[in-house]
Amino acid sequence: MDRLKALIERVAQSLRTGPGIRSPGANPNAPPLPMLRPCSWSVGGHVALMAFLLIGFATRIQPDEPAFGTIAIDGVVLDDEAVQREIQRLDDLERAAVIEREQEVERLLEQIEEQEERQRRQEQELSALSSQTEQARRELSEQQTQASRQLSEMQQQQQAERERLAQVERERQQEEERARQAEAERQAAEAERQRTEEETRKLAEEAEAAQRRIEETERRRREAELAERMRREMAEEARQEAIDSGLLDEYKARIRQRIESNWQRPADSREDLMWVVLLNVLPGNEVADIEFEQFNGTDIDQRSIETAIRRSSPLPEPPIPELFERQMRLRYPPTEQGE
């Protein structure tokens, strides 16, 4: 009993003054940082639980018999051999009881560790989803910034072009006015007129060339849109043909077979167990999220199904790329249509 109390005191002292966590690049001579509070509480809870169970059980099994040297039957003091046998019997009883209590403690600790593992997995999944959301937000912000910059540049170019054309028009009008005013100087006016006409011709050619470029750009845009529309239509036709031919049902059947091969179905599951799940599938056929749309089992059944799906990720490759689905619905047991 004293040894058990001393052991508990040493564990408590270790939790108060035990090793800490040093941050990367910290001074090696500086005192370590305190351990994370969740870890301290977890270890402290384990130790408290073990101490409570062991102390309570050790107290319960303390013998009620008198101490050595005071045992007597009908006024006759027992000899040393009888006393030793009685002590051995009590020790055997105490060891058996301690072993039983230790086994019970181990079972409780295993249940606690399983709960902590489930919590860690949920935190990791939440962290992954948060990272994906933040990445998508940054990409959208960058795209919006780039689009705004391009729009601003186009507006500046259009404004500069309008100003240049207005300036050209003003110069042309000024040249014509000078030509009318300099009627007396016909040769100079004629030369000026020809020069103005040449500039006008060049401007017309530039305008025509700009119009041709605009038309060419528009033609290419229409061709690209037509090609993209045709590609989508062909992909949709290929997907529909695969669905009509039963290729999609065969692909989902392969996925169900892999999940069932990894499914450790609980022994007490109901015989008419049915579930419909919606899987969020990433490129590379990795399963990112699982949503139960229909389910008639217990929490234990649900956890076993989720575990089987996670073990089956990545899912089998589709026979054709058009059968890839970001949102895939699976049903168990499958219907006559094979869903």
Side-chain angles (χ1 to χ4, degrees):
M1 188 68 181
D2 294 335
R3 291 196 299 271
L4 180 58
K5 291 182 179 179
L7 175 60
I8 294 172
E9 291 176 355
R10 286 199 299 273
V11 173
Q13 181 66 20
S14 176
L15 288 176
R16 292 193 296 268
T17 63
I21 301 174
R22 297 184 183 276
S23 59
N27 184 358
N29 297 322
L33 298 176
M35 296 180 68
L36 295 177
R37 181 171 297 177
C39 181
S40 300
W41 280 106
S42 176
V43 176
H46 292 179
V47 173
L49 176 61
M50 293 178 62
F52 173 76
L53 294 173
L54 292 177
I55 292 175
F57 192 80
T59 305
R60 187 183 66 184
I61 65 172
Q62 286 181 350
D64 298 327
E65 288 80 2
F68 176 77
T70 62
I71 300 175
I73 300 176
D74 296 332
V76 180
V77 178
L78 297 178
D79 59 4
D80 291 342
E81 183 179 355
V83 171
Q84 291 298 327
R85 285 198 302 271
E86 182 64 19
I87 292 175
Q88 181 64 37
R89 184 182 68 83
L90 293 176
D91 288 342
D92 293 341
L93 289 175
E94 181 177 356
R95 281 194 294 272
V98 169
I99 291 174
E100 179 182 356
R101 182 59 63 179
E102 287 176 347
Q103 292 175 351
E104 182 178 354
V105 169
E106 289 176 357
R107 287 195 299 271
L108 293 174
L109 291 178
E110 289 175 356
Q111 294 176 2
I112 293 173
E113 291 175 356
E114 290 175 358
Q115 179 64 24
E116 291 176 345
E117 179 63 23
R118 285 196 295 271
Q119 292 178 354
R120 284 195 293 271
R121 286 200 300 270
Q122 292 174 356
E123 292 173 356
Q124 291 173 358
E125 292 173 358
L126 179 60
S127 177
L129 290 175
S130 299
S131 300
Q132 294 174 3
T133 302
E134 179 64 19
Q135 178 64 23
R137 186 192 64 77
R138 288 197 297 268
E139 292 177 356
L140 178 59
S141 177
E142 293 176 358
Q143 292 174 0
Q144 292 176 344
T145 302
Q146 184 177 3
S148 299
R149 184 170 58 253
Q150 292 176 351
L151 178 60
S152 177
E153 292 176 355
M154 291 177 61
Q155 291 175 347
Q156 292 176 358
Q157 293 175 358
Q158 291 176 354
Q159 180 64 25
E161 184 66 16
R162 286 195 295 269
E163 292 178 356
R164 189 181 70 82
L165 292 176
Q167 179 64 25
V168 170
E169 180 63 20
R170 287 194 297 271
E171 291 178 356
R172 187 183 66 80
Q173 292 176 358
Q174 291 174 1
E175 291 296 333
E176 290 179 352
E177 183 64 21
R178 283 196 297 269
R180 287 190 298 268
Q181 292 177 359
E183 182 63 24
E185 302 176 357
R186 294 181 59 85
Q187 292 182 354
E190 183 65 19
E192 186 67 19
R193 186 185 63 81
Q194 292 178 355
R195 185 181 67 81
T196 303
E197 289 180 353
E198 180 65 19
E199 290 181 354
T200 302
R201 183 185 63 79
K202 290 181 178 179
L203 289 174
E205 292 177 352
E206 292 178 357
E208 184 179 356
Q211 183 63 29
R212 286 196 300 270
R213 289 194 296 270
I214 293 174
E215 292 176 353
E216 179 66 16
T217 301
E218 181 66 18
R219 182 184 64 82
R220 292 180 179 178
R221 184 187 64 80
R222 289 195 299 269
E223 290 178 352
E225 290 179 351
L226 178 60
E228 177 62 20
R229 186 166 59 253
M230 292 178 64
R231 186 193 65 79
R232 289 197 299 266
E233 291 176 355
M234 292 176 63
E236 183 62 27
E237 290 177 0
R239 175 179 173 81
Q240 190 60 44
E241 290 178 359
I243 293 174
D244 296 340
S245 65
L247 196 59
L248 178 59
D249 293 339
E250 294 177 2
Y251 175 49
K252 287 189 176 182
R254 289 171 52 202
I255 295 176
R256 272 194 300 272
Q257 290 175 359
R258 174 175 291 186
I259 293 174
E260 291 178 10
S261 66
N262 292 319
W263 185 17
Q264 296 180 358
R265 183 168 179 171
D268 56 350
S269 292
R270 55 191 298 175
E271 294 181 358
D272 60 342
L273 181 65
M274 181 276 295
W275 46 266
V276 178
V277 295
L278 184 64
L279 304 181
N280 184 13
V281 185
L282 301 176
N285 301 303
E286 292 284 349
V287 177
D289 192 20
I290 304 171
E291 178 182 351
F292 280 79
E293 293 185 338
Q294 298 181 29
F295 183 61
N296 65 350
T298 64
D299 292 341
I300 296 176
D301 293 330
Q302 180 174 341
R303 287 195 295 270
S304 68
I305 295 169
E306 290 177 347
T307 300
I309 294 174
R310 296 291 183 192
R311 290 176 178 174
S312 302
S313 179
L315 302 177
E317 289 285 344
I320 59 174
E322 288 77 11
L323 289 182
F324 174 78
E325 295 179 332
R326 291 297 301 269
Q327 297 288 332
M328 177 177 294
R329 182 174 286 101
L330 289 178
R331 182 185 300 271
Y332 177 87
T335 62
E336 294 181 357
Q337 289 76 17
E339 289 188 0

